[in-house]
Amino acid sequence: MNRSRVPLSVRYPALYRPSVVCRRLARCIRWLVEGRTYARTCTTDPLPFRVKKHASRLIRPHGDCPRWLQENKVTNLATALPFLDGLIVRPGEYFSFCHVVGRPTRARGFVDGMELAQGRARPGVGGGICQLANMIHWLALHSPLVVVERSTHSMDPFPDRERSIPFGTGASIFYNYIDLVIHNPTRSTFQFRFQLSTRDLIGELRSSKRLKYSYSVFEREHRFVRQGGDVFRENSLWRRIRLRQGGALIGEEFIKRNRARVLYEVEPQIVEAA
């Protein structure tokens, strides 16, 4: 590994906490001076038009993550949900996950769940709320909302069983400087709605107006690659845009190229050499 690419806080662990404090302070200053209007209002009244609905499994049956961490994740999701369910994003407003949910602390009811940090999976207060950020990002990709800030996960913790969307569509969150930020440049108002069932996180994006276009997300160039003693997963994400009436293809947009270290066993015959 090229040591020049390894963050100083990983090479010198004593620098980690001061680094976090500095980055959080810098983000707070940025919030004060950037002049953006952030979405804060929630309402229980649904907007009239559904844009996209999706469900994701709460407990994944595979991977090395202990079950108690996944169960604690559900507690963290339930704690964060009231800040996001019914959230209205008006024309010109920005959505910031960290700005809305705030810092996950024990005093606010968050518990230890699985978080991916410093190159490994570990327990952390509020761990698992990234599943909400993943859902929000996936819903936004199926709309004219613009994703202006997103960090991808550096690790892929679970295999594809019960995964219904392409790899690499998630969004990493670490309060407050690793954030998911979305802008509404349209004349429509959008609304995020969420609920927890016994097995799924269910999310929905609604709009004040019927959308002119429909969106679908797909992947290209998917592969597993071995590099040294690690296996990495790669792909590129794309979005296809069509007219809602008639389905005529308008075009395709490149979203992002993904690469993450795999934390589970992969069948050797499908792994390529780097």
Side-chain angles (χ1 to χ4, degrees):
M1 180 181 292
N2 187 344
R3 289 180 61 84
S4 65
R5 296 183 180 181
V6 179
L8 285 175
S9 59
V10 175
R11 293 164 57 187
Y12 306 102
L15 296 178
Y16 177 71
R17 289 189 180 277
S19 173
V20 169
V21 170
C22 290
R23 292 186 180 190
R24 284 178 172 167
L25 178 60
R27 175 66 71 158
C28 289
I29 295 173
R30 178 177 166 184
W31 280 341
L32 289 173
V33 303
E34 65 190 352
R36 291 177 175 176
T37 301
Y38 284 99
R40 299 288 296 184
T41 304
C42 292
T43 177
T44 57
D45 298 324
L47 293 182
F49 299 103
R50 177 188 289 174
V51 177
K52 179 68 175 178
K53 186 174 183 179
H54 184 71
S56 63
R57 186 61 57 90
L58 292 169
I59 304 295
R60 302 291 294 273
H62 294 285
D64 296 329
C65 177
R67 186 176 177 87
W68 71 268
L69 281 178
Q70 295 198 64
E71 292 171 346
N72 280 8
K73 174 192 70 174
V74 179
T75 299
N76 290 331
L77 291 173
T79 303
L81 211 64
F83 299 98
L84 295 163
D85 182 34
L87 185 73
I88 295 291
V89 186
R90 297 183 177 88
E93 286 188 334
Y94 288 80
F95 163 84
S96 161
F97 189 94
C98 291
H99 203 277
V100 171
V101 176
R103 184 175 179 178
T105 62
R106 297 190 193 279
R108 299 180 65 212
F110 291 94
V111 296
D112 281 335
M114 188 188 76
E115 67 177 21
L116 304 177
Q118 292 185 291
R120 60 188 176 92
R122 66 183 190 184
V125 177
I129 60 173
C130 285
Q131 187 168 350
L132 266 169
N134 297 346
M135 175 76 75
I136 292 168
H137 180 246
W138 179 249
L139 295 173
L141 289 177
H142 292 81
S143 77
L145 295 173
V146 177
V147 179
V148 297
E149 183 179 338
R150 174 179 76 109
S151 295
T152 55
H153 296 285
S154 61
M155 290 163 281
D156 184 24
F158 299 109
D160 276 353
R161 184 177 176 183
E162 299 175 355
R163 182 185 304 197
S164 60
I165 63 178
F167 159 71
T169 56
S172 181
I173 297 294
F174 188 76
Y175 185 85
N176 57 2
Y177 60 89
I178 300 178
D179 199 2
L180 173 65
V181 182
I182 296 169
H183 180 227
N184 180 7
T186 75
R187 297 182 179 179
S188 298
T189 296
F190 290 87
Q191 179 188 38
F192 291 104
R193 304 193 74 198
F194 301 99
Q195 60 177 306
L196 291 173
S197 72
T198 55
R199 74 169 200 170
D200 292 324
L201 169 65
I202 302 168
E204 185 180 32
L205 179 64
R206 302 190 70 88
S207 175
S208 60
K209 299 178 182 178
R210 192 182 303 275
L211 299 188
K212 183 177 180 180
Y213 303 106
S214 65
Y215 305 82
S216 59
V217 180
F218 62 99
E219 68 177 355
R220 289 177 172 147
E221 305 169 298
H222 178 270
R223 66 174 186 164
F224 291 94
V225 180
R226 185 174 301 280
Q227 184 173 334
D230 294 322
V231 174
F232 292 86
R233 190 173 189 178
E234 301 176 347
N235 74 351
S236 60
L237 289 179
W238 294 76
R239 185 167 76 159
R240 189 172 286 124
I241 306 170
R242 296 181 181 274
L243 285 174
R244 280 190 175 269
Q245 292 188 346
L249 179 64
I250 302 301
E252 294 180 350
E253 293 179 347
F254 171 75
I255 300 172
K256 188 176 180 61
R257 188 173 299 279
N258 296 298
R259 176 179 167 88
R261 183 165 61 89
V262 173
L263 300 186
Y264 51 88
E265 293 295 325
V266 181
E267 296 180 5
Q269 63 268 27
I270 66 173
V271 179
E272 303 176 18

